[in-house]
PDB file of all heavy atoms in Angstrom:
ATOM      1  N   ALA A 634      -3.113  -6.683   0.960  1.00  0.00           N
ATOM      2  CA  ALA A 634      -2.323  -6.269  -0.174  1.00  0.00           C
ATOM      3  C   ALA A 634      -3.018  -5.547  -1.255  1.00  0.00           C
ATOM      4  O   ALA A 634      -2.602  -4.405  -1.705  1.00  0.00           O
ATOM      5  CB  ALA A 634      -1.592  -7.416  -0.808  1.00  0.00           C
ATOM      6  N   SER A 635      -4.220  -5.971  -1.647  1.00  0.00           N
ATOM      7  CA  SER A 635      -4.975  -5.347  -2.698  1.00  0.00           C
ATOM      8  C   SER A 635      -5.548  -4.052  -2.177  1.00  0.00           C
ATOM      9  O   SER A 635      -5.640  -2.977  -3.035  1.00  0.00           O
ATOM     10  CB  SER A 635      -6.093  -6.244  -3.216  1.00  0.00           C
ATOM     11  OG  SER A 635      -6.970  -6.596  -2.189  1.00  0.00           O
ATOM     12  N   ILE A 636      -5.941  -3.975  -1.011  1.00  0.00           N
ATOM     13  CA  ILE A 636      -6.388  -2.684  -0.412  1.00  0.00           C
ATOM     14  C   ILE A 636      -5.272  -1.630  -0.415  1.00  0.00           C
ATOM     15  O   ILE A 636      -5.521  -0.529  -0.790  1.00  0.00           O
ATOM     16  CB  ILE A 636      -7.045  -2.868   0.945  1.00  0.00           C
ATOM     17  CG1 ILE A 636      -8.302  -3.829   0.936  1.00  0.00           C
ATOM     18  CG2 ILE A 636      -7.376  -1.548   1.637  1.00  0.00           C
ATOM     19  CD1 ILE A 636      -8.781  -4.296   2.203  1.00  0.00           C
ATOM     20  N   ILE A 637      -4.146  -1.962   0.021  1.00  0.00           N
ATOM     21  CA  ILE A 637      -2.991  -1.092   0.010  1.00  0.00           C
ATOM     22  C   ILE A 637      -2.620  -0.684  -1.272  1.00  0.00           C
ATOM     23  O   ILE A 637      -2.404   0.541  -1.606  1.00  0.00           O
ATOM     24  CB  ILE A 637      -1.811  -1.660   0.877  1.00  0.00           C
ATOM     25  CG1 ILE A 637      -2.129  -1.815   2.387  1.00  0.00           C
ATOM     26  CG2 ILE A 637      -0.487  -0.826   0.569  1.00  0.00           C
ATOM     27  CD1 ILE A 637      -1.161  -2.435   3.215  1.00  0.00           C
ATOM     28  N   ASP A 638      -2.571  -1.579  -2.226  1.00  0.00           N
ATOM     29  CA  ASP A 638      -2.154  -1.289  -3.604  1.00  0.00           C
ATOM     30  C   ASP A 638      -3.232  -0.319  -4.204  1.00  0.00           C
ATOM     31  O   ASP A 638      -2.871   0.658  -4.918  1.00  0.00           O
ATOM     32  CB  ASP A 638      -2.165  -2.521  -4.476  1.00  0.00           C
ATOM     33  CG  ASP A 638      -0.830  -3.370  -4.170  1.00  0.00           C
ATOM     34  OD1 ASP A 638       0.041  -2.923  -3.632  1.00  0.00           O
ATOM     35  OD2 ASP A 638      -0.918  -4.503  -4.591  1.00  0.00           O
ATOM     36  N   SER A 639      -4.499  -0.495  -3.875  1.00  0.00           N
ATOM     37  CA  SER A 639      -5.533   0.359  -4.500  1.00  0.00           C
ATOM     38  C   SER A 639      -5.497   1.815  -3.846  1.00  0.00           C
ATOM     39  O   SER A 639      -5.725   2.739  -4.501  1.00  0.00           O
ATOM     40  CB  SER A 639      -6.901  -0.283  -4.135  1.00  0.00           C
ATOM     41  OG  SER A 639      -7.995   0.622  -4.401  1.00  0.00           O
ATOM     42  N   ALA A 640      -5.172   1.860  -2.617  1.00  0.00           N
ATOM     43  CA  ALA A 640      -4.993   3.067  -1.919  1.00  0.00           C
ATOM     44  C   ALA A 640      -3.992   3.939  -2.492  1.00  0.00           C
ATOM     45  O   ALA A 640      -4.106   5.077  -2.769  1.00  0.00           O
ATOM     46  CB  ALA A 640      -4.799   2.933  -0.409  1.00  0.00           C
ATOM     47  N   GLU A 641      -2.869   3.352  -2.707  1.00  0.00           N
ATOM     48  CA  GLU A 641      -1.730   3.955  -3.375  1.00  0.00           C
ATOM     49  C   GLU A 641      -1.853   4.398  -4.791  1.00  0.00           C
ATOM     50  O   GLU A 641      -1.803   5.562  -5.199  1.00  0.00           O
ATOM     51  CB  GLU A 641      -0.387   3.099  -3.341  1.00  0.00           C
ATOM     52  CG  GLU A 641       0.079   2.946  -1.960  1.00  0.00           C
ATOM     53  CD  GLU A 641       1.253   3.940  -1.637  1.00  0.00           C
ATOM     54  OE1 GLU A 641       1.900   4.453  -2.519  1.00  0.00           O
ATOM     55  OE2 GLU A 641       1.495   4.191  -0.404  1.00  0.00           O
ATOM     56  N   LYS A 642      -2.371   3.417  -5.608  1.00  0.00           N
ATOM     57  CA  LYS A 642      -2.421   3.748  -7.080  1.00  0.00           C
ATOM     58  C   LYS A 642      -3.773   4.314  -7.535  1.00  0.00           C
ATOM     59  O   LYS A 642      -3.678   5.234  -8.345  1.00  0.00           O
ATOM     60  CB  LYS A 642      -2.354   2.370  -7.802  1.00  0.00           C
ATOM     61  CG  LYS A 642      -0.934   1.728  -7.739  1.00  0.00           C
ATOM     62  CD  LYS A 642      -0.824   0.472  -8.564  1.00  0.00           C
ATOM     63  CE  LYS A 642       0.704  -0.064  -8.546  1.00  0.00           C
ATOM     64  NZ  LYS A 642       0.889  -0.953  -7.546  1.00  0.00           N
ATOM     65  N   GLU A 643      -4.820   3.887  -7.007  1.00  0.00           N
ATOM     66  CA  GLU A 643      -6.103   4.523  -7.502  1.00  0.00           C
ATOM     67  C   GLU A 643      -6.731   5.665  -6.692  1.00  0.00           C
ATOM     68  O   GLU A 643      -7.208   6.514  -7.208  1.00  0.00           O
ATOM     69  CB  GLU A 643      -7.203   3.380  -7.405  1.00  0.00           C
ATOM     70  CG  GLU A 643      -6.908   2.263  -8.347  1.00  0.00           C
ATOM     71  CD  GLU A 643      -7.736   0.996  -8.136  1.00  0.00           C
ATOM     72  OE1 GLU A 643      -8.896   1.080  -7.550  1.00  0.00           O
ATOM     73  OE2 GLU A 643      -7.309  -0.153  -8.557  1.00  0.00           O
ATOM     74  N   ARG A 644      -6.239   5.774  -5.343  1.00  0.00           N
ATOM     75  CA  ARG A 644      -6.843   6.758  -4.574  1.00  0.00           C
ATOM     76  C   ARG A 644      -5.752   7.879  -4.246  1.00  0.00           C
ATOM     77  O   ARG A 644      -5.998   8.858  -3.638  1.00  0.00           O
ATOM     78  CB  ARG A 644      -7.433   6.346  -3.329  1.00  0.00           C
ATOM     79  CG  ARG A 644      -8.653   5.508  -3.530  1.00  0.00           C
ATOM     80  CD  ARG A 644      -9.133   4.896  -2.231  1.00  0.00           C
ATOM     81  NE  ARG A 644     -10.172   3.928  -2.403  1.00  0.00           N
ATOM     82  CZ  ARG A 644     -11.270   4.170  -1.828  1.00  0.00           C
ATOM     83  NH1 ARG A 644     -11.710   5.206  -1.168  1.00  0.00           N
ATOM     84  NH2 ARG A 644     -12.299   3.270  -2.041  1.00  0.00           N
ATOM     85  N   ASN A 645      -4.452   7.500  -4.628  1.00  0.00           N
ATOM     86  CA  ASN A 645      -3.366   8.487  -4.365  1.00  0.00           C
ATOM     87  C   ASN A 645      -3.234   8.704  -2.793  1.00  0.00           C
ATOM     88  O   ASN A 645      -3.033   9.879  -2.419  1.00  0.00           O
ATOM     89  CB  ASN A 645      -3.497   9.762  -5.120  1.00  0.00           C
ATOM     90  CG  ASN A 645      -2.127  10.506  -5.305  1.00  0.00           C
ATOM     91  OD1 ASN A 645      -1.143   9.824  -5.122  1.00  0.00           O
ATOM     92  ND2 ASN A 645      -2.122  11.837  -5.286  1.00  0.00           N
ATOM     93  N   VAL A 646      -3.434   7.719  -2.100  1.00  0.00           N
ATOM     94  CA  VAL A 646      -3.290   7.669  -0.726  1.00  0.00           C
ATOM     95  C   VAL A 646      -1.943   7.164  -0.249  1.00  0.00           C
ATOM     96  O   VAL A 646      -1.595   5.944  -0.618  1.00  0.00           O
ATOM     97  CB  VAL A 646      -4.486   7.065   0.147  1.00  0.00           C
ATOM     98  CG1 VAL A 646      -4.136   6.840   1.637  1.00  0.00           C
ATOM     99  CG2 VAL A 646      -5.727   7.693  -0.090  1.00  0.00           C
ATOM    100  N   ARG A 647      -1.115   7.870   0.444  1.00  0.00           N
ATOM    101  CA  ARG A 647       0.304   7.450   0.857  1.00  0.00           C
ATOM    102  C   ARG A 647       0.014   6.478   1.990  1.00  0.00           C
ATOM    103  O   ARG A 647      -0.560   6.828   3.037  1.00  0.00           O
ATOM    104  CB  ARG A 647       1.169   8.696   1.281  1.00  0.00           C
ATOM    105  CG  ARG A 647       2.528   8.230   1.668  1.00  0.00           C
ATOM    106  CD  ARG A 647       3.215   7.729   0.284  1.00  0.00           C
ATOM    107  NE  ARG A 647       4.665   7.501   0.685  1.00  0.00           N
ATOM    108  CZ  ARG A 647       5.340   6.333   0.533  1.00  0.00           C
ATOM    109  NH1 ARG A 647       4.687   5.414  -0.040  1.00  0.00           N
ATOM    110  NH2 ARG A 647       6.600   6.320   0.800  1.00  0.00           N
ATOM    111  N   VAL A 648       0.616   5.250   1.902  1.00  0.00           N
ATOM    112  CA  VAL A 648       0.399   4.228   2.974  1.00  0.00           C
ATOM    113  C   VAL A 648       1.813   4.154   3.531  1.00  0.00           C
ATOM    114  O   VAL A 648       2.824   3.791   3.011  1.00  0.00           O
ATOM    115  CB  VAL A 648       0.039   2.897   2.354  1.00  0.00           C
ATOM    116  CG1 VAL A 648      -0.125   1.960   3.468  1.00  0.00           C
ATOM    117  CG2 VAL A 648      -1.356   3.109   1.572  1.00  0.00           C
ATOM    118  N   ILE A 649       1.731   4.230   4.982  1.00  0.00           N
ATOM    119  CA  ILE A 649       2.942   4.045   5.868  1.00  0.00           C
ATOM    120  C   ILE A 649       2.767   2.895   6.707  1.00  0.00           C
ATOM    121  O   ILE A 649       1.793   2.926   7.513  1.00  0.00           O
ATOM    122  CB  ILE A 649       3.285   5.375   6.591  1.00  0.00           C
ATOM    123  CG1 ILE A 649       3.526   6.535   5.775  1.00  0.00           C
ATOM    124  CG2 ILE A 649       4.442   5.164   7.511  1.00  0.00           C
ATOM    125  CD1 ILE A 649       2.403   7.423   5.693  1.00  0.00           C
ATOM    126  N   CYS A 650       3.488   1.836   6.375  1.00  0.00           N
ATOM    127  CA  CYS A 650       3.410   0.618   7.298  1.00  0.00           C
ATOM    128  C   CYS A 650       4.341   0.786   8.487  1.00  0.00           C
ATOM    129  O   CYS A 650       5.517   1.052   8.298  1.00  0.00           O
ATOM    130  CB  CYS A 650       3.706  -0.592   6.529  1.00  0.00           C
ATOM    131  SG  CYS A 650       2.448  -0.988   5.152  1.00  0.00           S
ATOM    132  N   VAL A 651       3.927   0.580   9.682  1.00  0.00           N
ATOM    133  CA  VAL A 651       4.754   0.678  10.817  1.00  0.00           C
ATOM    134  C   VAL A 651       4.837  -0.697  11.502  1.00  0.00           C
ATOM    135  O   VAL A 651       3.880  -1.481  11.507  1.00  0.00           O
ATOM    136  CB  VAL A 651       4.279   1.783  11.810  1.00  0.00           C
ATOM    137  CG1 VAL A 651       4.407   3.134  11.259  1.00  0.00           C
ATOM    138  CG2 VAL A 651       2.804   1.426  12.318  1.00  0.00           C
ATOM    139  N   VAL A 652       5.948  -0.971  12.049  1.00  0.00           N
ATOM    140  CA  VAL A 652       6.229  -2.227  12.858  1.00  0.00           C
ATOM    141  C   VAL A 652       6.554  -3.411  11.837  1.00  0.00           C
ATOM    142  O   VAL A 652       7.466  -4.035  11.999  1.00  0.00           O
ATOM    143  CB  VAL A 652       5.130  -2.629  13.790  1.00  0.00           C
ATOM    144  CG1 VAL A 652       5.649  -3.941  14.616  1.00  0.00           C
ATOM    145  CG2 VAL A 652       4.837  -1.566  14.799  1.00  0.00           C
ATOM    146  N   THR A 653       5.672  -3.484  10.889  1.00  0.00           N
ATOM    147  CA  THR A 653       5.956  -4.582   9.902  1.00  0.00           C
ATOM    148  C   THR A 653       5.401  -4.044   8.513  1.00  0.00           C
ATOM    149  O   THR A 653       4.642  -3.044   8.425  1.00  0.00           O
ATOM    150  CB  THR A 653       5.063  -5.885  10.230  1.00  0.00           C
ATOM    151  OG1 THR A 653       5.409  -6.923   9.276  1.00  0.00           O
ATOM    152  CG2 THR A 653       3.552  -5.656  10.275  1.00  0.00           C
ATOM    153  N   ASP A 654       5.651  -4.773   7.405  1.00  0.00           N
ATOM    154  CA  ASP A 654       5.255  -4.210   6.135  1.00  0.00           C
ATOM    155  C   ASP A 654       4.262  -5.315   5.534  1.00  0.00           C
ATOM    156  O   ASP A 654       4.331  -6.440   5.988  1.00  0.00           O
ATOM    157  CB  ASP A 654       6.529  -3.908   5.249  1.00  0.00           C
ATOM    158  CG  ASP A 654       6.123  -3.133   4.032  1.00  0.00           C
ATOM    159  OD1 ASP A 654       4.879  -2.705   3.944  1.00  0.00           O
ATOM    160  OD2 ASP A 654       7.056  -2.930   3.220  1.00  0.00           O
ATOM    161  N   ASP A 655       3.610  -4.885   4.542  1.00  0.00           N
ATOM    162  CA  ASP A 655       2.901  -5.808   3.675  1.00  0.00           C
ATOM    163  C   ASP A 655       3.709  -6.218   2.459  1.00  0.00           C
ATOM    164  O   ASP A 655       3.724  -5.588   1.447  1.00  0.00           O
ATOM    165  CB  ASP A 655       1.586  -5.149   3.258  1.00  0.00           C
ATOM    166  CG  ASP A 655       0.627  -6.137   2.710  1.00  0.00           C
ATOM    167  OD1 ASP A 655       1.147  -7.276   2.157  1.00  0.00           O
ATOM    168  OD2 ASP A 655      -0.626  -6.007   2.638  1.00  0.00           O
ATOM    169  N   SER A 656       4.346  -7.297   2.634  1.00  0.00           N
ATOM    170  CA  SER A 656       5.367  -7.748   1.519  1.00  0.00           C
ATOM    171  C   SER A 656       4.642  -8.175   0.293  1.00  0.00           C
ATOM    172  O   SER A 656       5.284  -8.347  -0.635  1.00  0.00           O
ATOM    173  CB  SER A 656       6.279  -8.917   2.130  1.00  0.00           C
ATOM    174  OG  SER A 656       5.399  -9.927   2.494  1.00  0.00           O
ATOM    175  N   LEU A 657       3.304  -8.403   0.384  1.00  0.00           N
ATOM    176  CA  LEU A 657       2.606  -8.722  -0.800  1.00  0.00           C
ATOM    177  C   LEU A 657       2.048  -7.646  -1.658  1.00  0.00           C
ATOM    178  O   LEU A 657       1.645  -7.880  -2.791  1.00  0.00           O
ATOM    179  CB  LEU A 657       1.312  -9.748  -0.329  1.00  0.00           C
ATOM    180  CG  LEU A 657       1.819 -11.013   0.444  1.00  0.00           C
ATOM    181  CD1 LEU A 657       0.605 -11.681   0.781  1.00  0.00           C
ATOM    182  CD2 LEU A 657       2.649 -11.830  -0.482  1.00  0.00           C
ATOM    183  N   SER A 658       2.094  -6.448  -1.033  1.00  0.00           N
ATOM    184  CA  SER A 658       1.577  -5.286  -1.839  1.00  0.00           C
ATOM    185  C   SER A 658       2.745  -4.927  -2.864  1.00  0.00           C
ATOM    186  O   SER A 658       3.812  -5.298  -2.631  1.00  0.00           O
ATOM    187  CB  SER A 658       1.191  -4.108  -0.879  1.00  0.00           C
ATOM    188  OG  SER A 658       2.428  -3.467  -0.541  1.00  0.00           O
ATOM    189  N   ARG A 659       2.221  -4.247  -3.856  1.00  0.00           N
ATOM    190  CA  ARG A 659       3.175  -3.870  -4.913  1.00  0.00           C
ATOM    191  C   ARG A 659       3.571  -2.353  -4.807  1.00  0.00           C
ATOM    192  O   ARG A 659       4.112  -1.876  -5.646  1.00  0.00           O
ATOM    193  CB  ARG A 659       2.516  -4.093  -6.305  1.00  0.00           C
ATOM    194  CG  ARG A 659       2.433  -5.540  -6.609  1.00  0.00           C
ATOM    195  CD  ARG A 659       1.867  -5.816  -7.925  1.00  0.00           C
ATOM    196  NE  ARG A 659       1.889  -7.100  -8.351  1.00  0.00           N
ATOM    197  CZ  ARG A 659       0.914  -7.998  -8.281  1.00  0.00           C
ATOM    198  NH1 ARG A 659      -0.180  -7.557  -7.828  1.00  0.00           N
ATOM    199  NH2 ARG A 659       1.064  -9.203  -8.740  1.00  0.00           N
ATOM    200  N   ARG A 660       3.254  -1.721  -3.815  1.00  0.00           N
ATOM    201  CA  ARG A 660       3.610  -0.310  -3.589  1.00  0.00           C
ATOM    202  C   ARG A 660       5.162  -0.136  -3.435  1.00  0.00           C
ATOM    203  O   ARG A 660       5.879  -1.012  -2.954  1.00  0.00           O
ATOM    204  CB  ARG A 660       2.895   0.266  -2.290  1.00  0.00           C
ATOM    205  CG  ARG A 660       3.424  -0.203  -0.988  1.00  0.00           C
ATOM    206  CD  ARG A 660       2.539   0.345   0.135  1.00  0.00           C
ATOM    207  NE  ARG A 660       3.080  -0.155   1.331  1.00  0.00           N
ATOM    208  CZ  ARG A 660       4.151   0.315   1.974  1.00  0.00           C
ATOM    209  NH1 ARG A 660       4.728   1.430   1.527  1.00  0.00           N
ATOM    210  NH2 ARG A 660       4.482  -0.131   3.140  1.00  0.00           N
ATOM    211  N   PRO A 661       5.660   0.955  -3.878  1.00  0.00           N
ATOM    212  CA  PRO A 661       7.176   1.204  -3.810  1.00  0.00           C
ATOM    213  C   PRO A 661       7.419   1.404  -2.327  1.00  0.00           C
ATOM    214  O   PRO A 661       6.729   2.009  -1.565  1.00  0.00           O
ATOM    215  CB  PRO A 661       7.335   2.522  -4.550  1.00  0.00           C
ATOM    216  CG  PRO A 661       5.997   3.120  -4.633  1.00  0.00           C
ATOM    217  CD  PRO A 661       5.002   2.150  -4.515  1.00  0.00           C
TER     218      PRO A 661
END
């Protein structure tokens, strides 16, 4: 979760979760 959040917010990397999602991340 924290890695995905950091990727989206701090690095501006679009994260696409396939098959399942990370429900703990705060990304939109």
Side-chain angles (χ1 to χ4, degrees):
S635 64
I636 296 171
I637 289 173
D638 288 342
S639 170
E641 289 264 340
K642 290 185 174 92
E643 297 168 20
R644 296 177 184 241
N645 200 29
V646 172
R647 183 68 172 128
V648 178
I649 299 100
C650 294
V651 293
V652 182
T653 185
D654 197 3
D655 188 336
S656 59
L657 300 175
S658 77
R659 293 189 167 93
R660 68 187 181 81

